[in-house]
Amino acid sequence: MNGFAHSAIGFGVGFAIAETSAASPFETVLLISAGSLSALVPDLDINGKLTNRMTLPHQFLKTITTVAGCLIIYLTLTHVLQIEMWQGIGLGVALIGTAQWISKRFMLSITGMLIIAAGLFISKIWLTLFGAYVLIASFLSHRTYTHSLLGLGTFACIAWLFSRDMNMNDLFFACSFGYASHLLADMRWVPGNKKGIKLFLPLSKKSF
């Protein structure tokens, strides 16, 4: 199932929670947004819609890094930079080499680190934990731990801390149920999902 469909289901989840809790217009918008975005979170383990929204274009960073490496080599060879030639050339080559490794997953890892730093800076545990979630997800294979009960439980804990910080209990349900809707929609009982998800990782690799 694609990201738009997952987001639409999460939208419906958030709207249903808002309706059942008689939420105000502002709270309704917040719950719908939380449900819609949370429904995309499991796909942080792949280059999906949420990954693209959370990171800078990796091609841009790759180009900038490559140009910087070439420029350092040129400035070293023309003696503009007052450093040893082998150091300048080495630094330039290192930057060019690093650029070849820059990808959307690399950008997602950097984003996770920045979120962790932001959470620590403003003393928000839920934000720090979410940053850790993003960082770990950037190293995982698709439809593994983020698509398991372990992933759901981890995200639910983050959602609980977030809802407490916002003093809005319904946010916990919007986030958790939005996330859970993604897992349900990716299960094998849905037409087109031959692969399914390994719901009980790491205890079992059986697909559902």
Side-chain angles (χ1 to χ4, degrees):
M1 186 172 290
N2 61 37
F4 179 81
H6 281 302
S7 183
I9 295 172
F11 182 101
V13 169
F15 182 76
I17 292 173
E19 286 295 298
T20 56
S21 62
S24 67
F26 172 76
E27 291 172 338
T28 298
V29 172
L30 193 58
L31 291 171
I32 287 174
S33 299
S36 184
L37 289 173
S38 296
L40 295 174
V41 169
D43 274 350
L44 284 175
D45 61 3
I46 195 174
N47 297 329
K49 284 185 177 296
L50 190 57
T51 302
N52 294 334
R53 296 292 184 273
M54 289 180 62
T55 61
L56 290 171
H58 71 288
Q59 288 294 347
F60 174 76
L61 182 60
K62 180 180 288 189
T63 300
I64 291 297
T65 306
T66 301
V67 170
C70 293
L71 185 61
I72 288 174
I73 292 175
Y74 172 76
L75 294 176
T76 300
L77 293 175
T78 54
H79 305 291
V80 175
L81 288 181
Q82 301 301 312
I83 60 176
E84 294 290 338
M85 183 173 292
W86 68 270
Q87 291 177 328
I89 294 176
L91 178 58
V93 170
L95 284 173
I96 294 172
T98 300
Q100 309 313 308
W101 290 91
I102 295 175
S103 63
K104 287 185 179 180
R105 281 188 176 255
F106 174 82
M107 294 303 297
L108 189 63
S109 298
I110 297 300
T111 301
M113 294 176 190
L114 291 175
I115 294 174
I116 290 173
L120 292 172
F121 182 75
I122 64 176
S123 300
K124 297 295 183 182
I125 297 177
W126 65 267
L127 189 60
T128 303
L129 292 176
F130 181 65
Y133 179 104
V134 172
L135 178 60
I136 293 171
S138 70
F139 292 99
L140 297 177
S141 300
H142 185 41
R143 291 200 180 191
T144 53
Y145 289 97
T146 62
H147 287 67
S148 70
L149 291 178
L150 178 61
L152 173 59
T154 301
F155 187 76
C157 289
I158 297 171
W160 181 70
L161 292 171
F162 175 53
S163 65
R164 284 186 60 192
D165 191 48
M166 296 293 290
N167 195 28
M168 188 176 173
N169 292 333
D170 288 332
L171 270 176
F172 166 74
F173 298 108
C175 292
S176 300
F177 291 167
Y179 191 107
S181 73
H182 185 114
L183 303 190
L184 290 172
D186 273 356
M187 294 180 76
R188 295 176 68 176
W189 60 271
V190 178
N193 286 338
K194 294 182 179 179
K195 184 178 180 181
I197 59 174
K198 298 177 177 64
L199 201 59
F200 294 102
L201 282 175
L203 300 178
S204 172
K205 294 184 179 181
K206 181 180 179 181
S207 294
F208 292 87

